[in-house]
Amino acid sequence: MFAGCKPAQRQAGTSQAIPVGVYLSFTGSTATFGESTFKGIQLAVEEINAKGGINGRQIEIHKEDDRSDAQEARSAVTKLIQRDKVVAVIGEVASSRSLAAAPICQENRIPMISPSSTNPKVTQVGDYIFRVCFIDPFQGTVVATFAYQTLKVRRAAILTDVKNDYSVGLAQYFKETFTRLGGQIVAEKSYSEGDPDFRAQLTAIKAANPEVIFVPGYYSEVGTIARQARELGITVPFLGGDGWDSPKLVEGAGDALEGSYFSNHYSHESTDPVVQEFVRKFKARYNGEVPDALAALGYDAANILFDAIKRAGSAEPSKIRDALAQTKDFPGVTGKITIDEQRNARKPAVILQVRGKEFKYVQTIQP
């Protein structure tokens, strides 16, 4: 797709709205990822347009649903670039879908900002691909260090979703750090996103007698995994990454994840005034809903893009790209954001604990 195509021509006029594309999973297995992220983006757009837009031009959002599917992500981005003539694209959450769509943005020289794809390979696609989240080598290190130093466990099992680049990468970085610290991986098992039954893998894990089980998957399976583990008599806590962050996590798990931990990009409980102001505005806009990390990252991704357009003094994609690359100490909701030479964001992570239906703040870990 798009092989040999010239970059789509953008209109360079100054009076019309600035078209920005958004592709996310509004339906399918990880629909809450798209819904939450878009609420953050929408809030940022409404705020900037209410202030008169950028250089006198309103932001106009064109959105596409990729249905939680990598091939659909390619189609969605193609439509945004070719049909809607967007000057930049925000998306995706899942790394496999960002990796599917990024080459199209790169080939057409349209800046793409992923709010929350953490696999390192995403920004390695090319110099038009950015992210505003930390990456998995850091996240895997954070969780492994927390397990070893804070929980003081020495025996861990890993259950990986082999269908997703995110899960495979995060499992690898957890394993590297945990073993380097002196821990032992006593079992490594796998599943594929969409699987309904994990009892065979969990039975093997139980026999290996771990003190903790690391499941770097998406919320859509983690709840079921935890529930089936408890039915088999496994009592040790689970650990996870930011893919757990969804209100549906506890829905699927019941109380099976009570006391378990996962790494994330921010906590709404933070006392930082930037965070509290965002939480206040989000709750006012969305009927009291508390924003999760995906909403916060969507908000940050949109605002970093708008800041870059403003600094570029232009809606030309190449100038937006250059301005994005120069982003330094941007006061984001998820932390101060500086885009490094690899177009990744250097920033802290937080550890949260599942308590009841809430994710309670435990600690912050700096890069």
Side-chain angles (χ1 to χ4, degrees):
M1 208 181 289
F2 272 12
C5 288
K6 289 180 182 173
Q9 292 299 304
R10 311 293 111 181
Q11 292 182 318
T14 54
S15 58
Q16 74 275 18
I18 299 171
V20 171
V22 173
Y23 74 106
L24 294 165
S25 54
F26 293 103
T27 58
S29 61
T30 54
T32 71
F33 284 174
E35 292 161 5
S36 284
T37 304
F38 190 72
K39 283 176 179 173
I41 294 168
Q42 189 174 37
L43 181 61
V45 171
E46 288 170 359
E47 286 176 2
I48 198 151
N49 282 344
K51 292 174 185 169
I54 302 173
N55 305 327
R57 299 171 68 182
Q58 296 281 290
I59 296 293
E60 182 177 85
I61 291 292
H62 299 263
K63 68 173 184 170
E64 288 288 327
D65 177 14
D66 62 29
R67 304 176 203 168
S68 305
D69 180 83
Q71 190 55 45
E72 290 286 343
R74 288 177 64 85
S75 302
V77 167
T78 301
K79 285 179 196 167
L80 291 169
I81 293 173
Q82 297 293 74
R83 181 194 65 200
D84 300 322
K85 301 287 188 280
V86 298
V87 299
V89 169
I90 301 174
E92 229 269 7
V93 171
S95 294
S96 291
R97 301 194 283 268
S98 284
L99 281 164
I104 295 169
C105 292
Q106 180 65 31
E107 199 165 329
N108 283 267
R109 301 193 191 103
I110 298 298
M112 174 183 129
I113 307 176
S114 169
S116 43
S117 288
T118 50
N119 187 285
K121 291 186 284 186
V122 171
T123 48
Q124 290 167 11
V125 168
D127 62 349
Y128 274 75
I129 313 301
F130 297 81
R131 77 178 104 217
V132 298
C133 55
F134 51 61
I135 57 175
D136 286 332
F138 173 60
Q139 181 169 212
T141 300
V142 162
V143 183
T145 304
F146 176 77
Y148 191 87
Q149 293 183 351
T150 304
L151 299 183
K152 303 204 179 315
V153 298
R154 297 296 179 262
R155 296 167 58 82
I158 302 174
L159 182 55
T160 307
D161 174 3
V162 290
K163 194 174 171 183
N164 279 295
D165 296 302
Y166 158 76
S167 187
V168 173
L170 191 48
Q172 175 197 332
Y173 301 118
F174 174 89
K175 179 182 177 180
E176 286 173 4
T177 302
F178 193 70
T179 53
R180 191 179 72 243
L181 289 168
Q184 183 186 0
I185 304 298
V186 296
E188 290 183 76
K189 296 296 172 185
S190 64
Y191 66 94
S192 291
E193 183 182 7
D195 287 354
D197 190 352
F198 310 92
R199 290 179 182 87
Q201 298 96 313
L202 290 166
T203 299
I205 285 172
K206 184 183 180 185
N209 197 30
E211 296 171 277
V212 72
I213 302 171
F214 182 51
V215 187
Y218 293 135
Y219 70 88
S220 41
E221 283 76 38
V222 171
T224 306
I225 288 168
R227 211 173 55 248
Q228 291 178 5
R230 301 309 181 215
E231 287 165 6
L232 290 169
I234 296 171
T235 58
V236 299
F238 284 87
L239 295 177
D242 59 323
W244 284 26
D245 190 20
S246 169
K248 292 199 180 293
L249 178 71
V250 178
E251 254 176 59
D255 62 0
L257 283 170
E258 184 69 23
S260 292
Y261 302 89
F262 66 101
S263 53
N264 212 350
H265 304 267
Y266 109 124
S267 168
H268 68 86
E269 295 178 321
S270 168
T271 54
D272 184 328
V274 176
V275 173
Q276 286 310 307
E277 175 65 5
F278 167 68
V279 171
R280 184 192 65 74
K281 291 188 294 191
F282 192 94
K283 287 168 82 171
R285 172 66 177 81
Y286 298 110
N287 303 315
E289 182 182 333
V290 175
D292 59 15
L294 294 161
L297 286 164
Y299 186 78
D300 281 351
N303 280 319
I304 278 177
L305 173 60
F306 303 156
D307 176 64
I309 296 172
K310 201 180 207 170
R311 284 186 288 109
S314 166
E316 288 283 339
S318 62
K319 290 180 180 171
I320 296 171
R321 192 224 77 87
D322 292 347
L324 281 170
Q326 290 158 11
T327 301
K328 191 171 184 200
D329 290 335
F330 181 87
V333 173
T334 59
K336 269 194 181 172
I337 299 170
T338 293
I339 302 296
D340 68 17
E341 289 173 8
Q342 284 77 45
R343 296 165 303 286
N344 300 321
R346 281 184 59 79
K347 58 202 293 199
V350 297
I351 297 288
L352 304 180
Q353 185 177 36
V354 181
R355 287 194 225 150
K357 292 185 176 178
E358 296 194 331
F359 305 146
K360 305 299 282 184
Y361 172 79
V362 178
Q363 68 185 78
T364 297
I365 299 174
Q366 298 293 334

